[in-house]
């Protein structure tokens, strides 16, 4: 039978090969690709979940015999689960694993021995999988990746890297593809992670190397596509385990995908992308549990969309700070210090420099950053400069095209980092990323906040459907079913009211009552209050009072309005707030409404903005008296007894008066959701209660800064 010579490479990780039903899925996916696309299929697999960690512990000399015995038992048990005879299928492989414990090289834990040990996981899992799929009647064969992937030596590599983190030849030719295609089975299973060393022994590609193996095979075979199957449905705008609202990235070019993978995304190994990019082979990241999802496609034809695509975090970063007055304009200083990094086999990631200081970062995923290596490096560098090692650190990186043009949209991000101890800021020369290095302990919980700020500030264009898909929360739990707005069934009546004059604010009392009951049922809140400045309509106030809500007022006029409108047992009272300039307001006594009060004089120093001028004449006069020329007054609350505004004076002094309905959740949309879900415990804001007859005392307490808000008991 003539065999199709086009290939699709499918790679499956440890969680995808550790259960029988997952192997059934692998078989179904491979058969579907072979039949639907008229291609041959190469399946690249990792070790069973957790096995490589055990093999690494064996390499470290930790309880070798017991760990090997446990691995033998685990693979025999999985063999039985698959309905296979363990002795027939795995006898030879398990004997080879046990023999490594008695290997003469084990006592010295040589790098060659460690590579042999680490490669056993993939050899075992691929042998199991091929036998199981063959038992299900599939045309499947097994091949040894070491016969096809050849490790190559790179300049300045350490001995560790030339054996345990190797690179392989990736330039394919017709002869390679022809020889590979001579294997008779329509589908082949091989190992990720392992390759042939130049001395004929085993070499490994480093942790996460199975992705890279798939990339190498894809390039060598000029594959139609390389598909990375894992336990998440693609790359996301942040780690979905930390940020449930992270968005699926459905389409990326190679450069952006490379940056996201390099700066912390665990779903795809960064070294897997370059072989596919150079060979022009598209890549996909797909979910074994949810194969119908589109996943992430990476190719050269993705539409360029400026903006932050992802924010990621790398832990375990080591900073090396080197300081010397003599480095200023000294020819060859950087060459001297980087020669020392090369001598210790260390690759520098980020660089920051000043006249007398150079600080660099070392990424442990690409370096053997042990205590001994750092100690030797510091001793070497101390010959030419003062050295300080800062660890552990975390690198938080924003990735996307056109980072320099987005700086004006990152004000909230800058402010957030301004509250942290930032050791290093680095912007990439290719304008694809911006990285902040902070203490690792300070990075906990920071990603969700930064992700929300990037969306809110417009730096992350989540509405671009060509790049951004659904959020992780929507994928995992389904898209929330939105209730049909009440006004949909009342359009005719609303349009009739609009014809009589607009704008009009229209509320449905039934919906107001329903929302009030939802809030009242929130266990994190003891008592709900409604700020009447949002809407003082009597029907709304009465409805909320009937549902047990207290009412918040910020002026005597609002108090009078509440008492004239409805019967309520509790009222919260607040006052005027302001923002002072750096220059003190000397000689301006405090006014009764809670702000600094001055006469009608002009051209003097005052406050920039009176943030809340509540709705009576006294507060308005106070705010206008204290604000500087060119400042602003925020006018809120129900107008009560305001006789007028001297527009001529305001115009001459260039004082801006602005106001309107401004509920907090209009500016912090996630606030209500966080409170309702119990993620945010609202702090008490009512400091002291006063009887109704003591309203003047409540104002005085706020004026004297003894309380922030006072509650009036009726």
């Amino acid at each position: 039978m003539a065999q199709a010579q086009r290939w699709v490479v499918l790679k499956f990780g440890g969680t995808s090969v550790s259960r029988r039903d997952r192997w059934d899925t692998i078989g179904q996916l491979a058969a579907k690709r072979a039949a639907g696309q008229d291609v041959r299929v190469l399946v690249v697999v990792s070790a069973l979940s957790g096995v490589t960690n055990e093999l690494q512990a064996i390499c470290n000399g930790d309880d070798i015999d017991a760990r090997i015995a446990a691995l033998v038992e685990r693979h025999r048990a999985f063999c039985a689960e698959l309905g296979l005879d363990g002795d027939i299928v795995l006898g030879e492989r398990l004997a080879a694993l046990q023999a490594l414990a008695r290997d003469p090289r084990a006592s010295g834990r040589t790098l060659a021995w460690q590579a042999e040990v680490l490669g056993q996981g993939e050899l075992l899992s691929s042998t199991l999988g091929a036998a199981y799929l063959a038992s299900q009647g599939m045309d499947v064969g097994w091949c040894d990746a070491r016969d096809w992937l050849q490790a190559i030596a790179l300049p300045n590599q350490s001995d560790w890297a030339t054996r345990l983190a190797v690179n392989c030849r990736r330039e394919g030719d017709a002869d390679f593809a022809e020889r590979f295609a001579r294997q008779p089975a329509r589908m082949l299973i091989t190992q990720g992670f392992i390759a042939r060393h130049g001395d004929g022994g085993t070499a490994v590609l480093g942790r996460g190397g199975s992705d890279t193996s798939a990339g190498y095979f894809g390039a060598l075979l000029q594959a139609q596509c390389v598909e990375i199957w894992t336990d998440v449905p693609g790359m996301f705008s942040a780690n979905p385990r930390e940020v449930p609202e992270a968005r699926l990235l459905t389409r990326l070019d190679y450069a952006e995908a490379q940056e996201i993978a390099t700066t912390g995304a665990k779903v795809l190994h960064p070294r897997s992308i370059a072989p596919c990019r150079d060979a022009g082979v598209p890549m996909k990241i797909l979910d074994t549990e949810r194969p119908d999802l589109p996943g992430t496609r990476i190719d050269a034809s993705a539409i360029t969309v400026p903006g932050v695509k992802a924010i990621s975090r790398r832990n375990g970063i080591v900073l090396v700070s080197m300081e010397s007055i003599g480095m200023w304009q000294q020819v060859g200083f950087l060459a001297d210090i980087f020669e020392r990094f090369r001598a210790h086999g260390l690759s520098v990631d980020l660089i920051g420099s000043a006249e007398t200081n150079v600080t660099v970062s070392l990424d442990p995923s690409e370096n053997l950053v042990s205590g001994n290596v750092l100690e030797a490096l510091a001793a070497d560098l101390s010959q030419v400069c003062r050295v300080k090692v800062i660890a552990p650190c975390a690198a938080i990186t924003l990735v996307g095209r056109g980072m320099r043009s987005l700086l004006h949209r990152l004000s909230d991000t800058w402010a957030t980092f301004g509250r942290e101890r930032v050791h290093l800021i680095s912007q990439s020369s290719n304008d694809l990323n911006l990285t902040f290095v902070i203490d690792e302990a300070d990075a906990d919980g920071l990603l969700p906040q930064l992700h929300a700020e990037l969306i809110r500030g417009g730096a992350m264009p989540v509405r671009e459907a060509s790049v951004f898909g659904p959020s992780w929360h929507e994928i995992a739990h389904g898209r929330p079913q939105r209730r049909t707005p009440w006004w949909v069934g009342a359009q005719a009546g609303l349009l009739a009211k609009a014809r009589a004059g607009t704008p009009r604010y229209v509320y449905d009392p039934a919906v107001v009552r329903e929302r009030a009951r939802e809030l009242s049922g929130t266990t994190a809140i003891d008592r709900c209050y409604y700020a009447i400045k949002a809407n003082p309509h009597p029907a709304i106030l009465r409805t909320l009072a009937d549902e047990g809500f207290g009412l918040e007022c910020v002026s005597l006029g609002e108090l009078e309005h509440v008492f004239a409108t409805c019967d309520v047992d509790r009222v919260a009272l607040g006052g005027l707030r302001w923002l002072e300039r750096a220059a003190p307001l000397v000689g301006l006594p405090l006014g009764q409404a809670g702000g600094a009060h001055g006469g009608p004089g002009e051209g003097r120093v005052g406050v920039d903005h009176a943030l809340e001028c509540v709705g009576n004449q006294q507060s308005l006069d106070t705010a206008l008296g204290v604000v500087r020329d060119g400042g602003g007054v925020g006018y809120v609350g129900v107008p009560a007894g305001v006789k007028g505004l001297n527009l001529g004076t305001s115009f001459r002094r260039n004082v801006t008066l602005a106001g309107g309905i401004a509920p907090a959740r209009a500016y912090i949309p996630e606030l209500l959701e966080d409170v309702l879900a119990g993620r945010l415990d609202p702090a008490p804001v009512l400091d002291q209660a006063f009887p109704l007859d003591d309203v003047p005392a409540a104002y005085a307490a706020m004026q004297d800064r003894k309380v922030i808000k006072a509650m009036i008991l009726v």
Side-chain angles (χ1 to χ4, degrees):
M1 181 181 73
Q3 298 285 347
Q5 298 305 300
R6 290 287 286 170
W7 291 85
V8 168
V9 178
L10 311 181
K11 179 265 174 180
F12 294 90
T15 57
S16 297
V17 299
S18 298
R19 301 201 319 247
R20 177 171 181 155
D21 64 313
R22 293 291 183 89
W23 274 106
D24 291 334
T25 300
I26 291 172
Q28 293 164 9
L29 290 170
K32 183 178 179 180
R33 295 294 185 273
Q37 301 178 24
D38 192 26
V39 294
R40 295 182 68 182
V41 177
L42 174 64
V43 175
V44 180
V45 297
S46 299
L48 302 187
S49 180
V51 166
T52 302
N53 290 338
E54 289 299 303
L55 294 171
Q56 183 63 63
I58 292 170
C59 291
N60 296 338
D62 298 339
D63 202 3
I64 294 177
D65 291 335
R67 290 182 185 276
I68 288 180
L71 288 174
V72 169
E73 177 59 31
R74 178 179 178 186
H75 284 84
R76 283 189 176 277
F78 192 39
C79 226
E81 181 186 339
L82 296 175
L84 304 172
D85 187 311
D87 291 330
I88 295 175
V89 174
L90 287 182
E92 184 179 342
R93 292 279 173 221
L94 294 175
L97 173 61
Q98 292 168 319
L100 285 169
R102 302 183 297 274
D103 191 298
R105 298 172 297 176
S107 59
R109 297 192 291 117
T110 66
L111 295 176
W113 174 78
Q114 291 185 45
E116 294 284 355
V117 172
L118 290 170
Q120 296 305 306
E122 280 71 17
L123 290 167
L124 286 163
S125 65
S126 60
T127 302
L128 267 173
Y132 175 69
L133 294 181
S135 73
Q136 303 302 302
M138 297 188 67
D139 181 16
V140 59
W142 182 92
C143 68
D144 192 329
R146 294 171 294 186
D147 295 337
W148 305 100
L149 296 184
Q150 304 297 319
I152 57 175
L154 298 179
N156 302 321
Q157 275 189 308
S158 65
D159 292 340
W160 175 82
T162 57
R163 182 68 74 166
L164 301 182
V166 300
N167 291 269
C168 295
R169 186 176 70 86
R170 65 195 193 202
E171 295 78 17
D173 53 42
D175 179 62
F176 180 96
E178 182 181 349
R179 286 188 294 112
F180 197 85
R182 289 177 192 155
Q183 300 173 90
R186 183 72 180 269
M187 181 176 77
L188 296 172
I189 293 183
T190 192
Q191 311 77 40
F193 188 54
I194 63 175
R196 183 71 66 196
H197 193 271
D199 63 7
T202 299
V204 297
L205 279 63
R207 296 304 297 264
S210 293
D211 289 350
T212 309
S213 297
Y216 283 142
F217 276 115
L220 290 166
L221 296 171
Q222 285 291 304
Q224 184 171 302
C225 186
V226 171
E227 298 180 0
I228 307 295
W229 289 86
T230 181
D231 56 354
V232 293
M235 280 186 166
F236 280 79
S237 57
N239 182 350
R241 292 179 175 87
E242 291 186 69
V243 187
E245 296 306 316
R247 302 290 288 272
L248 176 65
L249 301 172
T250 57
R251 191 77 177 269
L252 294 169
D253 60 35
Y254 292 112
E256 286 182 315
Q258 179 78 56
E259 291 289 337
I260 294 171
T262 301
T263 56
K266 303 298 185 184
V267 68
L268 182 67
H269 196 284
R271 288 170 57 193
S272 68
I273 299 174
C276 293
R277 178 198 62 208
D278 294 345
V281 176
M283 303 182 77
K284 290 182 179 179
I285 306 171
L286 299 162
D287 189 346
T288 312
E289 279 290 314
R290 293 169 278 244
D292 296 331
L293 289 175
T296 299
R297 180 181 174 89
I298 303 167
D299 58 30
S301 60
I303 299 173
T304 299
V305 176
V308 177
K309 305 303 189 307
I311 178 170
S312 55
R313 167 184 173 180
R314 287 174 290 162
N315 287 336
I317 301 297
V318 176
L319 289 183
V320 181
S321 178
M322 297 156 284
E323 189 165 335
S324 172
I325 297 177
M327 74 171 61
W328 170 242
Q329 293 188 342
Q330 178 182 336
V331 176
F333 178 83
L334 290 179
D336 289 343
I337 62 171
F338 286 125
E339 168 61 26
R340 287 165 166 79
F341 282 89
R342 184 204 64 77
H344 291 278
L346 296 172
S347 172
V348 168
D349 182 21
L350 305 172
I351 304 174
S353 64
E355 289 85 350
T356 60
N357 179 278
V358 175
T359 298
V360 303
S361 74
L362 302 175
D363 188 338
S365 66
E366 298 297 329
N367 293 286
L368 179 61
V369 188
S370 65
N372 293 338
V373 171
L374 291 176
E375 185 177 344
L377 173 67
D380 213 355
L381 289 171
S382 65
Q383 300 174 17
V384 293
C385 60
R386 291 198 302 274
V387 183
K388 181 180 180 182
V389 176
I390 307 170
C393 294
I396 296 179
T397 302
L398 316 183
V399 177
R401 289 203 172 274
M403 290 300 302
R404 297 187 189 105
S405 65
L406 295 173
L407 295 180
H408 67 290
R409 297 185 182 274
L410 300 176
S411 57
D412 288 345
T413 302
W414 290 109
T416 297
F417 279 111
R419 294 187 287 271
E420 308 296 338
R421 185 184 180 192
V422 178
H423 297 292
L424 178 68
I425 300 176
S426 174
Q427 184 180 4
S428 65
S429 57
N430 61 6
D431 202 21
L432 276 174
N433 76 59
L434 179 64
T435 299
F436 302 81
V437 181
I438 63 177
D439 291 331
E440 188 173 293
D442 294 339
D444 293 340
L446 206 54
L447 250 59
Q449 177 182 348
L450 292 169
H451 187 268
E453 289 171 352
L454 291 170
I455 294 175
R456 190 162 56 244
M460 183 177 286
V462 293
R463 295 187 182 277
E464 286 287 347
S466 61
V467 176
F468 292 90
S471 71
W472 168 252
H473 187 272
E474 290 175 350
I475 292 171
H477 304 289
R479 189 180 296 273
Q481 296 297 318
R482 298 187 179 277
R483 290 174 288 198
T484 302
W486 66 268
W487 49 263
V488 171
Q491 289 188 26
L494 292 172
L495 291 174
K497 290 181 179 296
R499 282 192 289 270
T502 60
R504 287 174 177 247
Y505 292 96
V506 183
Y507 289 75
D508 180 17
V511 175
V512 173
R513 186 174 294 106
E514 180 183 357
R515 299 293 189 271
R517 290 174 180 174
E518 290 177 358
L519 280 172
S520 297
T522 304
T523 57
I525 300 176
D526 294 328
R527 179 70 184 266
C528 295
Y529 284 82
Y530 173 72
I532 78 164
K533 63 187 177 185
N535 190 318
H537 194 284
I540 292 178
L541 299 185
R542 283 192 288 268
T543 299
L544 292 173
D546 290 344
E547 294 299 327
F549 272 58
L551 300 178
E552 184 202 24
C553 302
V554 290
S555 71
L556 289 173
E558 288 189 354
L559 280 173
E560 293 169 356
H561 179 72
V562 165
F563 298 147
T565 299
C566 57
D567 183 16
V568 62
D569 64 341
R570 293 195 180 191
V571 178
L573 181 64
L576 178 70
R577 304 167 192 171
W578 69 93
L579 175 67
E580 294 184 356
R581 291 178 59 81
L585 298 174
V586 179
L588 296 178
L590 291 176
Q592 185 176 357
H597 179 73
E602 301 167 18
R604 56 176 174 72
V605 175
V607 300
D608 284 318
H609 296 279
L611 298 183
E612 283 193 15
C613 169
V614 299
N616 60 18
Q617 185 71 50
Q618 184 182 19
S619 293
L620 181 60
D621 292 341
T622 300
L624 293 173
V626 72
V627 74
R628 67 172 176 83
D629 292 357
V633 173
Y635 186 69
V636 299
V638 181
V642 177
K643 299 176 181 178
L645 170 67
N646 190 330
L647 294 177
T649 300
S650 298
F651 179 80
R652 187 168 60 253
R653 295 181 54 205
N654 192 27
V655 172
T656 301
L657 182 67
I661 297 175
R665 63 192 180 94
Y667 298 97
I668 315 175
E670 67 273 19
L671 179 63
L672 185 59
E673 179 183 348
D674 287 342
V675 172
L676 292 174
R679 292 188 293 268
L680 178 64
D681 183 14
V685 296
L686 301 172
D687 303 280
Q688 190 173 343
F690 294 84
L692 179 59
D693 293 339
D694 287 346
V695 168
Y699 271 117
M702 289 186 289
Q703 175 181 308
D704 295 338
R705 302 298 181 262
K706 294 178 181 178
V707 299
I708 298 174
K709 282 187 178 289
M711 180 169 64
I712 304 300
L713 300 178
V714 181

